């Protein structure tokens, strides 16, 4: 049985020296979905050498607000060569960081020019699609700097090279530092580090990420929650069917490169029982997950010291464009003219084939999370279903509710000129009888008639309430049952 996410480390006796070596050999993740968990207890040697498995941003959306629109002259520079990190505040207090550009080789000139964007705070317990919200612009940076660098440093707080104090971003200020951030324990933040320039020779360019601020000064071991590193596969991932592959790395574990063997498993149903072993051996440092293979993925890593074993798991869920269950199972007419407790109120429920996070809108109205709609108008309607994870939206889907308009206005303007039971063609053997309030029969209709125009023997009848009786047949448990509906409506002139 695999342990829960917060109890992943079975046994870890990594020495400080081993951890320091691991920090120096830390891998890069250019994909927000697999951002590397970090802590403040040692500087982090990093690289920014990729644009991401997916484009993390839609430039046309991102440039509407925030500093990402200010520093880049072409869309590629928003996400030119990037690395993503994630950290969790360990205590209440103040956090900052320095990003120092390094030369490719010692003594060579620095060619990199780093920028950053910080997103949060996020609540890990909500299960929200953090990276999806970052990508679509729902979440904007709370600290961000794409200014032209005239030092080798950018970050939050105080530039250690020239003492420049961080301030709110102002285009053209050439202040590459933003203000310190006040954090609350438990808050999660995603940090994008971007290399605006490139050395054009394909070699990755290096930086050092060092956390600063009062919390770090007080205790660098608790300022950020170092247990987050035990979740080295990252947070659970929500992705869309057809997205590029997701690459999971075992090299970000606390064991670092000192690996004897690695085993990857998957539990497709997430029922606690692994279904298959996917890869094993000392060289299985990465696992590629392809769409649409949803499941919980496990990794077990044994160290070369023979005593250290760590595990981690991550739930990856792929969603597609919403699809209704077929036929009457997908669109359930809970109440219409033929089965309503209140014949004037109709209710419809929509059932999607899948477990996504969906929202619904009928007839071009506002979206709602509840798949049940009350007071649905009679006749032909449309519904649109949207996947809130950003994986797609249906085209308008038509559905019919059998019912009648509560009024009609036969004035020749082409709007509500006729009265008829809408959806009558869905009934078996329907007949409609229209009466005045004294019970006099005025008109008889069936499914072939277009409706009643408010006249009797060629004479226009006055504004008033009129009554109708609908007779039809209904198949109930293979028995044909005669049904009758009686109600009233208004003629308005």
């Amino acid at each position: 049985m695999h342990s829960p996410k917060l109890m992943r480390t079975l046994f870890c006796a990594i020495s400080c020296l081993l951890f320091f070596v691991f920090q120096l050999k830390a891998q890069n993740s250019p994909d927000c979905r697999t951002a590397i968990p970090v802590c403040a207890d040692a500087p982090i040697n990093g690289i920014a050498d990729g644009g991401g498995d997916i484009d993390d941003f839609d430039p046309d959306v991102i440039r509407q607000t925030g500093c990402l629109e200010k520093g880049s002259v072409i869309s590629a520079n928003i996400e030119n060569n990037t690395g993503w990190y994630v950290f969790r505040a360990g205590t209440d207090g103040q956090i900052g960081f320095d990003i120092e550009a390094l030369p490719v080789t010692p003594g060579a000139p620095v060619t990199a020019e780093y920028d950053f964007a910080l997103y949060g705070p996020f609540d890990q317990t909500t299960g929200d699609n953090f990276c999806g919200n970052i990508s679509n612009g729902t979440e904007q940076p709370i600290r961000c700097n794409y200014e032209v660098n005239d030092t080798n440093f950018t970050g939050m707080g105080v530039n250690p090279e020239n003492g420049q104090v961080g301030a709110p971003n102002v285009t053209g200020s050439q202040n590459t530092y933003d203000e310190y951030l006040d954090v609350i324990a438990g808050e999660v933040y995603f940090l994008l580090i971007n290399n605006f320039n490139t050395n054009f020779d394909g070699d990755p360019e290096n930086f050092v990420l060092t956390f600063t601020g009062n919390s770090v000064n007080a205790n660098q071991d608790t300022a950020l929650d170092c247990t987050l590193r035990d979740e080295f596969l990252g947070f659970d991932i929500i992705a869309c069917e057809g997205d590029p592959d997701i690459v999971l790395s075992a090299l970000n574990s606390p064991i670092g490169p000192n690996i004897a063997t690695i085993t990857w498993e998957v539990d497709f149903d997430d029922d606690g029982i692994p279904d298959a072993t996917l890869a094993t051996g000392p060289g299985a440092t990465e696992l590629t997950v392809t769409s649409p293979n949803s499941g919980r993925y496990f990794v077990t890593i044994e160290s070369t010291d023979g005593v250290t074993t760590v595990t981690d798991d991550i739930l990856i869920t792929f969603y597609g464009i919403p699809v209704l269950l077929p036929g009457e199972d997908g669109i359930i007419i809970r109440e219409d003219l033929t089965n309503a407790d209140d014949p004037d109120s109709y209710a419809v429920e929509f059932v999607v084939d899948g477990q996504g996070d969906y929202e619904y809108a009928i007839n071009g109205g506002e979206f709602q999370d509840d798949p049940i709609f009350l007071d649905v108008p009679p006749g032909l309607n449309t519904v649109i279903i949207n996947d809130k994870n950003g994986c797609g939206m249906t085209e308008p889907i038509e559905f019919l509710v059998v019912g009648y308009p509560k009024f009609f206005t036969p004035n020749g303007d082409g709007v509500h000129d006729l009265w008829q039971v809408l959806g009558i063609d869905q009934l078996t053997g329907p007949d409609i009888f229209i009466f005045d309030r004294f019970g006099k029969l005025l008109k008889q209709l069936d499914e072939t008639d277009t409706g009643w125009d408010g006249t009797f023997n060629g004479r226009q009848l006055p504004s008033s309430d009129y009554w109708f009786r609908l007779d039809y047949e209904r198949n109930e448990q293979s028995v044909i049952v005669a049904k009758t509906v009686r109600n009233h409506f208004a003629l308005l002139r």
Side-chain angles (χ1 to χ4, degrees):
M1 175 69 81
H2 289 269
S3 60
K5 197 171 184 74
L6 294 180
M7 299 179 63
R8 292 174 177 165
T9 303
L10 299 179
F11 176 76
C12 184
I14 308 297
S15 69
C16 294
L17 176 61
L18 177 59
F19 173 70
F20 181 72
V21 171
F22 160 63
Q23 286 291 86
L24 293 181
K25 295 182 179 294
Q27 302 298 301
N28 180 52
S29 178
D31 189 347
C32 176
R33 300 175 301 181
T34 53
I36 298 172
V38 292
C39 186
D41 57 357
I44 299 159
N45 252 17
I47 56 176
D49 62 348
D53 295 333
I54 60 172
D55 288 333
D56 286 291
F57 303 117
D58 177 347
D60 292 336
V61 173
I62 295 302
R63 282 201 173 104
Q64 299 304 310
T65 59
C67 88
L68 294 181
E69 68 184 3
K70 299 172 182 176
S72 37
V73 293
I74 58 174
S75 62
N77 284 341
I78 292 179
E79 194 181 8
N80 190 33
N81 285 290
T82 61
W84 282 89
Y85 296 88
V86 59
F87 61 87
R88 184 166 59 209
T91 60
D92 297 355
Q94 180 195 76
I95 292 292
F97 55 79
D98 300 323
I99 303 168
E100 180 183 6
L102 299 179
V104 174
T105 57
V110 172
T111 55
E113 182 183 333
Y114 286 103
D115 305 300
F116 73 89
L118 182 70
Y119 296 85
F122 298 110
D123 181 354
Q124 189 179 352
T125 65
T126 63
D128 290 342
N129 186 1
F130 303 140
C131 288
N133 292 339
I134 290 171
S135 175
N136 65 29
T138 301
E139 296 288 344
Q140 289 291 328
I142 58 170
R143 296 288 189 275
C144 183
N145 201 298
Y146 267 63
E147 284 298 300
V148 176
N149 296 34
D150 56 9
T151 74
N152 291 334
F153 285 85
T154 188
M156 297 191 322
V158 180
N159 188 326
E161 185 171 319
N162 61 9
Q164 193 168 31
V165 177
N169 185 267
V170 176
T171 303
S173 68
Q174 291 190 312
N175 184 356
T176 60
Y177 267 70
D178 276 36
E179 300 169 294
Y180 282 112
L181 181 68
D182 293 325
V183 299
I184 298 174
E187 292 177 338
V188 172
Y189 295 86
F190 284 82
L191 173 62
L192 165 69
I193 297 177
N194 177 71
N195 182 5
F196 184 86
N197 287 332
T198 177
N199 52 26
F200 300 108
D201 60 8
D203 292 333
E205 296 178 284
N206 305 320
F207 61 83
V208 174
L209 171 64
T210 306
F211 284 93
T212 63
N214 291 341
S215 293
V216 178
N217 295 338
N219 191 331
Q220 67 177 16
D221 295 324
T222 61
L224 301 184
D225 184 356
C226 293
T227 65
L228 187 64
R229 283 194 304 240
D230 296 335
E231 304 174 48
F232 53 88
L233 292 183
F235 295 143
D236 292 344
I237 294 174
I238 295 173
C240 299
E241 291 182 3
D243 273 357
D245 298 343
I246 297 171
V247 180
L248 304 178
S249 175
L251 293 176
N252 296 318
S253 83
I255 284 179
N258 299 312
I259 296 171
T261 188
I262 301 170
T263 301
W264 294 93
E265 297 175 289
V266 63
D267 175 5
F268 289 118
D269 300 321
D270 195 22
D271 59 4
I273 303 174
D275 297 301
T277 297
L278 302 176
T280 187
T285 56
E286 291 185 341
L287 180 72
T288 299
V289 179
T290 60
S291 167
N293 294 305
S294 297
R296 186 172 293 279
Y297 291 82
F298 298 90
V299 64
T300 301
I301 308 171
E302 297 179 10
S303 175
T304 53
D305 65 12
V307 296
T308 304
T309 299
V310 296
T311 69
D312 194 17
D313 64 273
I314 183 172
L315 179 63
I316 300 177
T317 307
F318 290 94
Y319 292 112
I321 295 175
V323 177
L324 286 172
L325 289 176
E328 295 179 355
D329 293 332
I331 300 178
I332 302 173
I333 308 298
R334 297 180 61 150
E335 292 187 344
D336 66 1
L337 180 64
T338 66
N339 65 354
D341 295 331
D342 178 3
D344 292 335
S345 178
Y346 308 132
V348 178
E349 180 179 3
F350 305 101
V351 183
V352 178
D353 185 7
Q355 301 296 318
D357 189 7
Y358 306 117
E359 58 184 1
Y360 311 79
I362 65 170
N363 302 327
E366 296 293 327
F367 280 100
Q368 67 177 47
D369 293 338
D370 192 342
I372 298 175
F373 285 79
L374 307 176
D375 296 323
V376 179
L380 192 63
N381 298 270
T382 60
V383 62
I384 294 175
I385 306 170
N386 179 53
D387 175 57
K388 294 169 70 175
N389 298 302
C391 292
M393 178 186 298
T394 66
E395 295 294 327
I397 302 169
E398 292 185 340
F399 64 96
L400 186 66
V401 174
V402 179
Y404 69 96
K406 298 175 183 178
F407 69 91
F408 76 120
T409 57
N411 55 14
D413 65 355
V415 180
H416 305 305
D417 279 339
L418 298 174
W419 186 92
Q420 172 66 290
V421 171
L422 303 172
I424 189 174
D425 57 335
Q426 303 298 303
L427 304 178
T428 302
D431 279 307
I432 303 171
F433 304 90
I434 299 173
F435 308 89
D436 65 15
R437 58 183 176 174
F438 302 107
K440 180 179 179 178
L441 179 63
L442 304 175
K443 185 70 175 180
Q444 182 177 353
L445 305 171
D446 62 24
E447 70 271 26
T448 65
D449 293 305
T450 58
W452 182 46
D453 62 1
T455 64
F456 179 67
N457 291 335
R459 178 173 58 88
Q460 290 186 348
L461 296 181
S463 296
S464 182
D465 268 5
Y466 293 84
W467 291 82
F468 74 93
R469 187 184 82 225
L470 168 64
D471 296 335
Y472 68 102
E473 295 178 345
R474 184 168 183 165
N475 190 327
E476 295 184 357
Q477 298 180 347
S478 300
V479 177
I480 302 299
V481 179
K483 294 286 187 178
T484 296
V485 175
R486 290 183 175 87
N487 218 305
H488 63 94
F489 60 92
L491 186 160
L492 305 177
R493 292 194 185 276

